[in-house]
Amino acid sequence: MTQVADRLDTAVIGVAEVTSLEGLSVIDQPDCAAAVFRRQKSDQFASWIAALEPSQLPNARVVLRPNKVRNALKHLCEIAETPACTERDAFIEDVTKLATSFARTMNAPYVRFRLDVVTTNACRKFHIDALTARLICTYRGTGTQYGTATDNSDPERIVTMPTGSPIILRGTRWPENPSSKLLHRSPPIEGTGASRLVLVLDPVYENDVAN
């Protein structure tokens, strides 16, 4: 579904740029506020997903084990009537790999799996999530934006993730002080007629499920 980009842009301080999915485990390293795997979607996949109606994009929120993601996403695609084809299969496999890799990196038995179809300015304010870490990957539309800030203002330099590229961001509950100054947001799109398909993965542990 994707090809690794030939060149990586200069990173914001505290952001590690890696060249493989496995490389995202660098998020465990000291002073790493986020880990980015920059890659480019194939033209065939980009054309396919851009041509779908928003109603044909899978949309759900559920907590499950990583090995259940593939079948769950197949079911979600069937509900949304996402056309069955090689591109849909590639999408399902890619999301499954992201969920499996992220759960392994976070040593989490479950993931909170979320696919959002976004047409408004959802989460347009720069913020840090109130959890340990989060993986975000935009499959359609403009990618997540991030930057560093030392006060309550927006970052002066804003970096936009390439569509199809996953990023793991530390949250306020990451067990390290001082906390990260890296903020992120969903790009404002309201009124443009654009729609985004965004995958969000959060780690979920046994105590979280019990509670």
Side-chain angles (χ1 to χ4, degrees):
M1 187 194 72
T2 58
Q3 300 171 337
V4 177
D6 293 329
R7 183 176 66 86
L8 297 179
D9 294 332
T10 302
V12 170
I13 293 175
V15 177
E17 297 187 348
V18 302
T19 57
S20 69
L21 180 58
E22 293 74 17
L24 290 174
S25 61
V26 74
I27 192 69
D28 287 331
Q29 297 299 313
D31 301 321
C32 181
V36 170
F37 175 25
R38 291 181 181 266
R39 56 184 188 171
Q40 297 172 338
K41 296 190 305 179
S42 69
D43 292 340
Q44 185 174 347
F45 179 84
S47 297
W48 172 76
I49 199 166
L52 296 178
E53 294 294 329
S55 61
Q56 293 178 297
L57 300 172
N59 188 2
R61 302 187 182 197
V62 63
V63 174
L64 70 177
R65 291 189 182 275
N67 62 2
K68 301 296 184 182
V69 168
R70 180 181 288 103
N71 287 338
L73 186 48
K74 285 181 180 178
H75 183 58
L76 292 171
C77 286
E78 290 170 0
I79 292 174
E81 297 184 351
T82 310
C85 58
T86 56
E87 289 77 22
R88 191 182 86 168
D89 292 343
F91 167 64
I92 292 171
E93 289 304 310
D94 193 68
V95 171
T96 300
K97 288 179 180 179
L98 289 183
T100 301
S101 177
F102 179 65
R104 184 184 304 117
T105 295
M106 298 302 298
N107 196 27
Y110 302 89
V111 290
R112 180 173 291 105
F113 171 91
R114 193 174 99 205
L115 274 170
D116 286 340
V117 179
V118 183
T119 58
T120 63
N121 289 344
C123 298
R124 63 171 296 176
K125 294 184 178 180
F126 280 98
H127 63 283
I128 302 176
D129 295 310
L131 37 70
T132 52
R134 168 171 284 175
L135 183 147
I136 304 173
C137 183
T138 303
Y139 283 93
R140 166 168 156 166
T142 307
T144 296
Q145 297 176 325
Y146 66 85
T148 54
T150 56
D151 50 32
N152 292 326
S153 62
D154 289 346
E156 291 186 3
R157 180 190 174 192
I158 298 173
V159 179
T160 301
M161 285 290 298
T163 305
S165 296
I167 179 172
I168 299 179
L169 296 134
R170 287 185 180 181
T172 58
R173 297 179 184 175
W174 187 272
E176 179 178 311
N177 288 311
S179 61
S180 169
K181 299 297 182 182
L182 187 76
L183 311 179
H184 67 279
R185 72 171 182 182
S186 294
I189 61 170
E190 191 167 8
T192 65
S195 59
R196 304 171 64 233
L197 178 62
V198 184
L199 169 70
V200 178
L201 297 172
D202 300 333
V204 177
Y205 300 94
E206 296 288 354
N207 290 342
D208 299 325
V209 175
N211 293 331

